[in-house]
Each structure stands twice: as C-alpha cells, then as structure tokens.
Amino acid sequence: MTGTEVPRDHPRYASLVTRHRIETGVDKGITSKQGLIAQGRGEAFDYLLGERTLPSADTAARAAAARLLLADHPVFSVNGNVAALVPGETVTLARVVDADIEVNLFNRTEERMVAIADHLREHGAEEVKGLAGDGEIPGLEHARGTVDADGIAAADVVVVPLEDGDRAEALDRMGKTEIVIDLNPGSRSPRTADVPIVDNVVRAVPNVTAHARDLADASSADLEAIVDGFDPEAALDAAEAAIRGSAFDDD
Ligand code: ATP
C-alpha cells in the first residue's frame, strides 16, 4: 500500500500515511529499524490521546515558539524518524525561528547521516549540520555523544523530538534549554524537558511554526511572560490524564 492509495475518508488516514512515511524512510536508508519500533510505540500513545493535539500540547507549542524566538542559538535536532515524517515542516520551522538544523542519530552511521542531510536539502534546507562531528555531549559514550561544535554543542535552546532519555538528560546537564516532542508523557525525555510537547511530531512541528509566526512581532517581555507562565509538570499531567481517561472509553 502506498500513501496515495490510503482512502482519504479512512478513519485512520493520518495514522496510515504516517506509518507509510516511516516505511519509505527505512527503504531510503533514512530511518533505522529501531525507528520502526519507536513509531509503533508512538502510535499506541497517539491512539490513546485520540490522535489530536490536546489543549495542553497547544499551550506547550506556544511556549516552545516563545523560547525559540528568544533564543540566541537555537538548534533543531533531526533523527531518522523526524526526517522521514516532517522534513519540509522542519525546514520551515527552522527558517521561521532562525534555527540551525543538525542531524543527530542514536545509531550514527556515515551513510545514514549523509542520506538524511541530502533528504533535508531536497526539502529546502540550505545548511545541515551534524556531519562534522567535532563536538561532544559529555557523559555519553563517543558514538552517542557526537555532535557539531558549532551546532548542538554551542546551542542555548535545542528542539529534540523523539529523543532518547540518556541524551536528553545529558543535554540537560550541559545547561541546554530543551524542547522535547514525544507522545509518551512517562518517557524520560519529556520529563527532562523545559518544554515537553506531548503530541505527534507531524502535528507539533507545524503547530510550533504557526505559533512562532503569530508571535513574530511580540516583544521580548511578552515572550518571556509566555515562557514563565508555562508549567511543564502541568502539561505532562494533562497528557497523562487524557491517556488514562481515554483508555476505557467506548468512543
Ligand atoms: P526513554 O529512554 O526516554 O524512556 P524510550 O526508550 O521510550 O525513551 P524510544 O524507544 O526511542 O524511547 O521511543 C521513542 C519515543 O518517541 C517514544 O516515547 C514514542 O512514544 C515517541 N514517538 C514515536 N513516534 C512519535 C511521533 N511520531 N511523534 C512524537 N513522538 C513519537
């Protein structure tokens, strides 16, 4: 089945198209086999969330946009799932908030780094970082901690969708402000984040962009008020409550 063959009125249309993008990502050497497992885990949580953006996730997306607009050196970290699911949306968000894009893989291979960088360029990225690998995240073994010295290593704010918990904690120890997009509110990465967005990356990235466009002319004081008013614990609690509440719903 291809993405175009899924009938638009299928009740799980968005989910099936998303799944197909990941399959294509694996075929193109962009997404790893472990990425398929991560996708399956994400789908289960998205199903329980009703495959929609919760009001709390929308609030988090607005706080993320404000953080990004206030940042000196924001970097959007891209792995194989993100590259397969939202390449064009990632490039657009990076352009709107003036962020760098860096490929950052849990299972780093030169081939996959290059394939993802090429894929992002095909979707409009001008500069893609990550290939230099001349910086490190302290506290992680070499392959897991390799980043660019003028990219993630130098960033003040990092967007890390679907990030592994160890790396999210290590970035936190480096003092980075972390915006994590992850469908599982119980996972370590969103629990480490300054701004956890519990939403599917396919909905969350364009939503952060929409908020960033809306806030483009806001003053620093207004942006800081949005950041200060955001409560990460409340966002995680609201997502968990939605999942627990929906688990035994009939509809
Ligand atoms: P941790 O080490 O933080 O506990 P984990 O072991 O759960 O993380 P992985 O196995 O890498 O992490 O799983 C990937 C994570 O990404 C899961 O929490 C999953 O819910 C989430 N995820 C998968 N697909 C998406 C998606 N499309 N949008 C947002 N989150 C997703």
Side-chain angles (χ1 to χ4, degrees):
M1 182 167 64
T2 70
T4 49
E5 280 166 339
V6 180
R8 279 206 162 261
D9 60 352
H10 191 289
R12 317 238 19 258
Y13 176 81
S15 167
L16 293 175
V17 170
T18 303
R19 187 181 293 184
H20 178 69
R21 283 194 207 155
I22 291 285
E23 282 174 35
T24 308
V26 174
D27 289 344
K28 288 173 90 174
I30 288 170
T31 310
S32 69
K33 287 185 189 156
Q34 287 89 339
L36 287 169
I37 297 167
Q39 166 70 15
R41 194 181 297 192
E43 275 187 20
F45 282 102
D46 207 12
Y47 184 85
L48 291 171
L49 286 165
E51 294 170 353
R52 70 199 155 112
T53 298
L54 297 176
S56 54
D58 186 56
T59 303
R62 194 163 180 83
R67 283 264 186 190
L68 286 166
L69 291 169
L70 285 167
D72 289 326
H73 183 179
V75 177
F76 195 126
S77 169
V78 175
N79 66 16
N81 286 52
V82 175
L85 292 176
V86 282
E89 294 86 343
T90 295
V91 172
T92 303
L93 175 56
R95 189 174 299 137
V96 169
V97 300
D98 200 14
D100 282 343
I101 295 176
E102 178 162 340
V103 183
N104 183 21
L105 303 182
F106 188 75
N107 297 295
R108 185 183 172 106
T109 67
E110 194 63 19
E111 293 85 339
R112 218 148 66 75
M113 295 290 293
V114 170
I116 292 174
D118 287 348
H119 185 66
L120 291 167
R121 283 195 204 96
E122 280 164 27
H123 284 83
E126 277 162 24
E127 195 192 353
V128 180
K129 294 194 164 153
L131 288 150
D134 52 355
E136 65 160 339
I137 306 173
L140 297 176
E141 57 161 306
H142 179 68
R144 302 266 184 266
T146 302
V147 289
D148 275 16
D150 65 350
I152 288 175
D156 56 345
V157 178
V158 284
V159 183
V160 278
L162 287 68
E163 183 56 287
D164 146 74
D166 281 348
R167 279 209 304 208
E169 286 175 358
L171 287 166
D172 185 52
R173 285 196 298 274
M174 286 177 89
K176 310 287 182 199
T177 294
E178 285 186 81
I179 297 166
V180 169
I181 303 169
D182 195 310
L183 280 157
N184 178 3
S187 195
R188 266 183 306 156
S189 315
R191 296 203 159 268
T192 306
D194 299 271
V195 183
I197 306 176
V198 183
D199 200 3
N200 198 315
V201 73
V202 302
R203 296 188 298 270
V205 173
N207 197 24
V208 176
T209 304
H211 281 296
R213 287 196 165 120
D214 188 46
L215 293 169
D217 296 325
S219 66
S220 296
D222 284 348
L223 295 174
E224 272 154 22
I226 292 170
V227 167
D228 291 347
F230 177 72
D231 179 351
E233 280 297 320
L236 294 170
D237 288 350
E240 188 179 329
I243 288 170
R244 288 187 189 280
S246 79
F248 302 104
D249 263 4
D250 285 328
D251 53 24

